[in-house]
Amino acid sequence: MDKLVIEGGQPLSGTIAIQGAKNAALPILAGSMLASGTVVIDSVPQLLDIEVMLHILQELGCRAEHVGDTVTINTATAYQAHIPEKLMGQMRSSIFLMGPLLARFGEVHLYQPGGCAIGERKIDLHLEGLRSLGAEIEEYGDRISCRAEKLRGADIHLGFPSVGATENIMMAATLAEGRTTITGAAREPEIQDLQHFLNAMGARIIGAGTDTITIEGVESLTPCRYRVIPDRIVAGTVMVAAAATKGKVTLTNTRPAHLSSLIHVLRRAGVGIGIEGDAITVGTSARPKAVERIVTSPYPAFPTDLQSQVMVLLALADGTSIMKETIFEGRFKHVDELSRMGADIRVDLNAAVIRGVSRLYGATVEATDLRAGAALVIAGLAANGRTVVEQVHHIDRGYDSIESMLARLGARIVRSAPVPDNGAVPG
Ligand code: UD1
């Protein structure tokens, strides 16, 4: 397994362009199945999760290739709607194919994506939504079979604004007969991006970005070329890294409006932020100030996907901060690792009390999930001495070569891959 080796203490400095958004690209790639023909998607990052999605699309019969940051998919050759258990298990986002395959083939057969390191992650809202559109769903153990001769528009209320359920229902409803209204919808920017993509193919959707989304069903969609939005979580990670290392970094290819809750928190911590068009400059030379209380909640509130990274900044702050996690129950796994680096953090149920220390120290730590891993990299950049982050494959699920991106900003970080065992006998 690869490791990242970081020599800490170097302030980040320079300019970096932010990659396209993984969480926008994944539903968009799944949504391409709604049309028959060649769909081209630009600004798709080279990530493990994206490659798994393309692999599944190939398994369904599509031709799919990823060259540079452009993905080309020919969906015309797709012939089946069974997602193999092995591929389903590799990535939770395979669930996004449920709505599109049901709409296109009238059936879909897949497996429960199961829990993951950060929590239980149920799919009941996805299933309820599709049932409301007329799908018959049978579950045998982990196997799920959905069938619908014709999907019909419906009024669907989500008891919790689930991002994935909102996207799955939106995609299925695109080809349903009549009008679907989703109330209590999630409002994340990635949902707006999905609306723009589907509308570019001829769908009739309004309201994404608000809590009510209306979809007028259409007969068919036409393939298009589309560019995904910049990744707000990768941008946020770099912003926090710049602040934690007391550096100065300009990020280009961002949507500052998508980062307003983070910008607000960073400003409260005393970090300087300048915004000019699609560029954000983050700079500070002072120790951060504690932020009394941050609560993760659905967009536009503070995102759970930036909770662990911001915790590193607060671990170095002057004073005591509280971070409350309300979205996923298992999302404090980075705390034990940060403690090994000298942080003073106590977890009480879903709240972490963070007493700032003046410095962190390098250690060997383990990335337990994607964003926890990103937090440990930031901690390593800010710490005194050498940090080794193990289990880097988790980080590779969301960051397109995190070490190259940070090295371009002056960080002393390298990837160390294990020497392959070729079975040779020495001597
Ligand atoms: C998406 C993001 C993920 C982010 C999360 C919350 C993608 C690919 N992933 O995940 O990075 O952390 O939003 O912003 O876009 N829930 C149910 N039943 C359901 C669905 C969800 O109870 O049917 C619960 C989940 O267990 C969780 C909460 O709702 O506690 C949020 O989940 P959801 O908004 O669906 O997140 P994802 O779409 O999985």
Side-chain angles (χ1 to χ4, degrees), residues 180-251:
T180 298
T181 306
I182 310 173
T183 51
R187 293 186 280 166
E188 269 69 0
E190 293 75 20
I191 297 172
Q192 255 178 303
D193 208 33
L194 180 62
Q195 167 178 297
H196 292 149
F197 164 67
L198 295 171
N199 285 350
M201 295 205 297
R204 291 175 59 202
I205 308 173
I206 55 167
T210 74
D211 63 3
T212 303
I213 301 176
T214 307
I215 305 122
E216 296 286 350
V218 296
E219 282 285 319
S220 62
L221 297 181
T222 320
C224 72
R225 183 165 192 154
Y226 190 78
R227 180 177 196 83
V228 302
I229 53 171
D231 196 309
R232 62 194 166 99
I233 306 302
V234 172
T237 303
V238 176
M239 289 165 72
V240 176
T245 59
K246 300 198 184 117
K248 185 171 181 197
V249 171
T250 297
L251 296 80

Side-chain angles (χ1 to χ4, degrees), residues 22-24 26-27 92-93 96 118-127 160-165 167 186 188 190 232-233 297-299 303-305 326-329 331 370-371:
K22 164 180 88 81
N23 288 354
L26 287 168
R92 198 191 140 73
S93 299
F96 289 134
I118 61 171
E120 191 186 4
R121 304 192 83 168
K122 292 187 290 191
I123 57 163
D124 53 321
L125 299 171
H126 299 240
L127 300 181
F160 179 86
S162 154
V163 176
E167 293 171 333
E188 269 69 0
E190 293 75 20
R232 62 194 166 99
I233 306 302
S297 296
Y299 189 85
T304 175
D305 284 353
T326 72
I327 307 293
F328 293 113
E329 64 277 14
R331 225 172 189 185
L370 166 57
R371 307 303 172 188

Side-chain angles (χ1 to χ4, degrees), residues 261-304:
S261 62
L262 175 69
I263 290 171
H264 181 66
V265 164
L266 291 178
R267 283 187 171 145
R268 277 165 69 201
V271 177
I273 311 253
I275 298 172
E276 222 182 303
D278 76 352
I280 303 177
T281 299
V282 182
T284 185
S285 51
R287 185 177 178 194
K289 291 187 277 189
V291 179
E292 210 179 305
R293 192 178 147 84
I294 303 172
V295 181
T296 67
S297 296
Y299 189 85
F302 188 81
T304 175

Side-chain angles (χ1 to χ4, degrees), residues 22 26 47-59 83-95 111-117 121 370 393-394 396-398:
K22 164 180 88 81
L26 287 168
L47 303 172
L48 229 50
D49 279 11
I50 298 285
E51 301 323 310
V52 174
M53 177 62 86
L54 296 182
H55 194 164
I56 297 176
L57 291 172
Q58 287 162 346
E59 197 73 24
I83 304 180
E85 187 171 16
K86 191 163 149 259
L87 289 175
M88 195 72 208
Q90 284 179 19
M91 179 188 60
R92 198 191 140 73
S93 299
S94 43
I95 200 75
Y111 293 81
Q112 279 280 353
C116 68
R121 304 192 83 168
L370 166 57
H393 62 280
H394 287 297
D396 293 337
R397 290 188 34 232

